[in-house]
Amino acid sequence: MTRTGTGTGTGTRARVRPGAAARPAARALVLAAAAALPLLAAAPAQATGYRYWSFWDGSSGSWTYQQQGPATYRPQDGGVDGWRFAVSPDGGSGAARPRAAAGFAAVCGGTAARAGRKRVAVVLDFGTPADAPAGERPPVRRTACAVVPEDASSAEVLAATVPPLRYDGSAILCAIAGYPRSGCGEAVGAGTADAAGAPAKGGGSGDGGGPSVGLAAGGAVVAAVAAGAVVRARRRRTP
C-alpha cells in the first residue's frame, strides 16, 4: 500500500499495485476452466449412422470390407461373401461386420466341385433388434452354399440363393431375403451395434459415448482464455 498526497483523513488515498485486482479474476477463470473440462470431456458425441446392408469378403478367413459392389465383384470358387445389416457409418471398414466366422469349409464343405460352376459361401447376418427398422424383427443368421456359373457376380450369387432382393432407383441393394420390408440406407442418428453387439462406432472414429470433439475444443478455448488472463496479470505486475 502506498500513500500519496499529504495530511490525514480525506487527504489520504490508497493506490493498488498494478495487477493486484486482476489476480482474483485470473484465479477464478482458471478454477472455472478446470471444473468445466471434465464435464466437457464426458459429453456424448452425436454420431450419425445409416441403416444398410454392408458387403464383406471372407475368402482369406477373416472379414474384409468389399471395395467393389456386388454387381461388379465376381468371387472365385471357394470364395466367401458376407453381408451384415446394421446401423453403421457411411461405408468403409468401420461398418458392422458379420458376426459369424468367415469359413468356406463350414458352409460349402459338403458341396462337390462341378465343371463350369463355382461354389461361393454366403453368410447373412440380419443384425440385432436395435438395428431393425420400426415394426420389424431381424431373421436369424443363415448361410448358403451357392453353385453358380463361373462368371457370376455376387449379386447373381445372392439372387440364386437368398431371394427376394430389393433395389432402389439407383441400383443400391436395399433388402436381402426380403429384409427389411422398407427403407434403404436411411440416416438414423447414433449407431447401435457393431460386430460384437456393442455400441457401434459412428463416423468411423467415435464410439457414441466418447467426448465430442467440438466440446473438447471449446474446453481448450476456455482454458486458453484463463491462461491468457494469468499471463496478462503477471505482465501488469512487472514494473
Side-chain angles (χ1 to χ4, degrees), residues 46-185:
Q46 298 299 315
T48 298
Y50 298 85
R51 184 182 285 118
Y52 66 99
W53 281 100
S54 58
F55 182 28
W56 300 82
D57 177 24
S59 302
S60 66
S62 60
W63 295 118
T64 302
Y65 189 80
Q66 268 290 7
Q67 300 300 318
Q68 298 184 52
T72 57
Y73 181 71
R74 286 172 165 73
Q76 302 296 312
D77 181 69
V80 182
D81 283 358
W83 295 88
R84 170 70 189 272
F85 187 79
V87 176
S88 297
D90 187 14
S93 58
R97 290 168 168 77
R99 290 169 293 174
F104 174 80
V107 179
C108 291
T111 302
R114 293 170 54 186
R117 312 283 284 183
K118 64 182 177 184
R119 298 160 299 164
V120 180
V122 179
V123 176
L124 296 181
D125 186 339
F126 294 87
T128 69
D131 294 317
E136 297 196 52
R137 289 190 62 83
V140 297
R141 283 177 278 174
R142 59 194 279 194
T143 61
C145 184
V147 180
V148 293
E150 291 179 330
D151 63 346
S153 68
S154 289
E156 292 169 322
V157 168
L158 283 178
T161 53
V162 286
L165 309 179
R166 177 167 56 85
Y167 292 86
D168 70 1
S170 301
I172 301 300
L173 181 61
C174 304
I176 300 176
Y179 183 80
R181 294 190 300 269
S182 62
C184 192

